[in-house]
């Protein structure tokens, strides 16, 4: 995947790949590899790729996105049925799917800012009434779409990221498009996230995380598995909403907290600025669009897109904003409609009201809020105690009210200053600082460091993804201590199951089928009280190795659905236990945190 290409709608990629002959489909992955190595030149809304000295592939992206198959053209002799068009679409980032054309008047009204789309409405999504009149179930079309998504996602899991080439990716994108047309935006978005993660894995993207891809696969398989049987509020949640609903919120007086860069594997970049009102509620202002690292670092100095204010994101993070006619999404994102007015106002220091109250909330309470589905930002007071060396790089050690805490970089891209700033902060050992971090749900307390109080000026703050610390900003005589080796800890051996879950995502069924005997791991899990984990590990390997033969001894096609269900049960279990361990590590209480190990029967029902 190359950031020089504009995002392409999932339906476009699916259409172009589906149109290829079987012979060309076998050559598609090689075609993608060859195409991404060629130079791409952008001219306004057009991107031109030189296939060779005489042939170009042209992508026309009005508004920054390719929304139709006819917008990708090739000058070779085999066009339009050539490999190059499908390869270009498969190499480009995946765009947000555009809504179906020509909506009905009521649906068109829902698309305007300030109204909330009703999930499952429209001619393709009328509920089946198979039970009592008030019980809503999924439509036949939605059940079929969910099955399509589940089959396509199971095929990707079967192959693993290493084997899920452009054809399997296109199959999942086609399923995502089908789900969106059936009124299942959550399943559609989850499927696209899996494709994005697979492409990041295959292209060795520095931002790729195996755990993120595993989570995306568990999400899409879980939604597709549960939706056909869901009713009422559960069905509404599983359907999701097609767009962020914005609601009027009157007048707001906001105080800047910090800004962070955005740089995704899907080819989007920009900045998000966080603000808070007098009651401590958080609001965001974002500027994210197709682009690469240069846009992520430059967006902070662009004017925010609210009203007529000329404040940049960097300025807003330290100033204030008075907004009238505000519209706000459920996640706190501020709308930029025509009726919104905004002017600059005075800001507040982190130690002054009203921002000071954010740090007054106990850390355990903040973690519980995050694990229960709330905001995952943590406002903590810490004392820096040193650094520790991990496999992914060095991270800061800090004391948070007696709790040992690890602070890692929020982004590893070398164009962003996260890692350089963390190394300098290590020299401020012993400093007591207020920080803003994002929770990482692991057994040991851990968070991603986003912003920090200036080491020598408590009235100032440093946005670690945008500002660069200098040695002069540190206390006099500060010297970075050598990083220590990560200490061993007596942890619940959940990694014995987690690593198998992750191995399947990376290498597919074949990795687990050839992994050899794991009876020792299962025995160890049962001995330490994780009987369900042992059972799930056995089931996962049994499903991976289950290949029947016909009367002539030939292997029959693998049961991808059986393997996907075994993997999903293991992934759901691992997530539930990790959440419980994370809550225990921080001393937090979470809604639905299991007081004992969930059973296999419970996982099967879920």
């Amino acid at each position: 995947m190359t950031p020089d290409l504009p995002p392409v709608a999932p339906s476009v990629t699916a259409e172009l790949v589906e149109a290829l002959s079987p012979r060309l489909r076998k050559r598609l992955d090689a075609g993608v590899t060859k195409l991404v190595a060629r130079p791409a030149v952008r001219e306004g809304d057009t991107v031109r790729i030189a296939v060779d000295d005489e042939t170009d592939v042209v992508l026309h992206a009005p508004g920054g996105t390719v929304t139709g198959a006819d917008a990708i053209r090739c000058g070779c002799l085999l066009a339009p049925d050539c490999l190059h068009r499908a390869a270009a679409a498969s190499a480009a980032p995946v765009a947000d799917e555009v809504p179906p054309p020509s909506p009905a008047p009521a649906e068109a009204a829902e698309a305007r800012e300030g109204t909330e789309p009703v999930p499952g409405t429209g001619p393709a999504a009328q509920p089946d009434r198979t039970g009592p009149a008030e019980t809503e179930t999924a439509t036949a079309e939605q059940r079929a779409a969910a099955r399509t998504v589940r089959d396509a996602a199971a095929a990707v899991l079967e192959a693993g990221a290493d084997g899920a080439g452009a054809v399997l990716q296109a199959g999942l994108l086609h399923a995502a498009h089908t789900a969106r047309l059936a009124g299942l935006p959550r399943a559609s978005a989850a499927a696209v996230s899996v494709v994005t993660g697979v492409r990041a894995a295959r292209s060795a993207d520095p931002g790729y995380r195996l755990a993120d891809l595993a989570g995306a696969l568990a999400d899409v398989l879980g939604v597709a598995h549960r939706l056909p049987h869901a009713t009422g509020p559960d069905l509404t949640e599983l359907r999701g909403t097609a767009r962020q609903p914005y609601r009027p919120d009157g007048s707001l007086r906001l105080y800047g907290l910090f800004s962070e860069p955005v740089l995704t594997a899907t080819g989007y970049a920009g900045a998000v600025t966080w603000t808070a009102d007098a009651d401590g509620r958080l609001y965001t202002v974002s500027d994210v669009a197709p682009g690469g690292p240069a846009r992520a670092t430059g967006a902070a100095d662009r004017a925010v897109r609210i009203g007529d204010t000329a404040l940049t994101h960097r300025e807003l993070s330290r100033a204030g904003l008075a907004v009238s006619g505000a519209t706000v999404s459920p996640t706190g994102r501020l709308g930029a409609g025509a009726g919104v007015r905004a002017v600059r106002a005075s800001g507040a220091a982190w130690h002054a009201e009203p921002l000071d109250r954010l740090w007054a909330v106990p850390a355990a309470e903040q973690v519980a809020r995050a694990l229960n589905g709330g905001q995952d930002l943590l406002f903590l007071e810490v004392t820096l105690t040193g650094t520790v060396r991990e496999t992914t790089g060095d991270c800061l050690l800090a004391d948070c009210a007696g709790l040992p805490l690890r602070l890692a970089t929020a982004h590893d891209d070398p164009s962003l200053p996260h890692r350089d700033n963390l190394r300098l902060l290590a020299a401020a050992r012993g400093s007591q600082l207020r920080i803003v971090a994002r929770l990482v749900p692991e057994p040991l307390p851990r968070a991603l460091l986003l912003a920090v109080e200036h080491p020598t000026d408590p009235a100032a703050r440093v946005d670690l993804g945008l500002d660069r610390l200098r040695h002069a900003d540190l206390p006099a005589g500060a010297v970075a201590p050598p990083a220590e080796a990560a200490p061993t800890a007596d942890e619940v051996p959940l990694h014995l199951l987690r690593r198998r879950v992750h191995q399947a995502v990376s290498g597919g069924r074949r990795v687990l089928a050839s992994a050899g005997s794991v009876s020792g791991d299962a025995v160890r899990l049962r001995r330490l009280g994780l009987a369900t984990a042992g059972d799930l590990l056995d089931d996962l390997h049994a499903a991976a190795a289950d290949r029947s033969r016909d009367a002539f001894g030939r292997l029959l096609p693998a049961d991808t659905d059986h393997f996907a269900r075994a993997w999903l049960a293991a992934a759901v279990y691992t997530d539930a236990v990790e959440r419980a361990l994370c809550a225990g590590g921080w001393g937090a209480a979470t809604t639905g945190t299991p007081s004992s190990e969930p059973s296999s029967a419970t996982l099967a029902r879920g």
Side-chain angles (χ1 to χ4, degrees), residues 3-9 42 44-47 59-68 71 92-96 98 266-268 289-291:
D4 294 326
L5 300 183
V8 176
R42 183 180 295 271
D45 292 336
T46 300
V47 175
L59 293 84
H60 184 55
T65 302
V66 176
T67 58
V94 184
D96 292 334
V98 295
T266 61
Y268 287 83

Side-chain angles (χ1 to χ4, degrees), residues 155 418 606:
H418 285 290

Side-chain angles (χ1 to χ4, degrees), residues 421 424-425 428 431 433 453-457 462 467-476 478:
N421 285 334
L424 272 177
L425 281 173
S431 297
L433 303 172
E453 178 183 331
H454 195 281
T456 56
D457 184 2
V462 181
D467 303 327
R468 286 194 178 271
L469 280 169
R470 307 296 178 189
H471 193 78
D473 296 318
L474 303 178

Side-chain angles (χ1 to χ4, degrees), residues 393-470:
D394 293 352
C395 69
L396 283 176
L397 294 178
D399 178 90
C400 179
L403 188 71
L405 172 63
R406 297 188 182 192
L407 299 171
T409 56
H411 208 293
D412 288 329
D413 193 284
S415 64
L416 302 176
H418 285 290
R419 189 160 295 284
D420 291 340
N421 285 334
L422 186 140
R423 291 194 186 102
L424 272 177
L425 281 173
R429 187 175 185 175
S431 297
Q432 296 180 349
L433 303 172
R434 285 190 168 185
I435 66 170
V436 181
R438 181 167 285 118
L439 176 68
V440 177
E442 292 185 356
L444 295 175
R446 185 183 186 89
L448 304 179
L449 195 56
L450 301 172
V452 63
E453 178 183 331
H454 195 281
T456 56
D457 184 2
R461 66 196 72 160
V462 181
D463 297 336
L464 296 178
L466 299 172
D467 303 327
R468 286 194 178 271
L469 280 169
R470 307 296 178 189

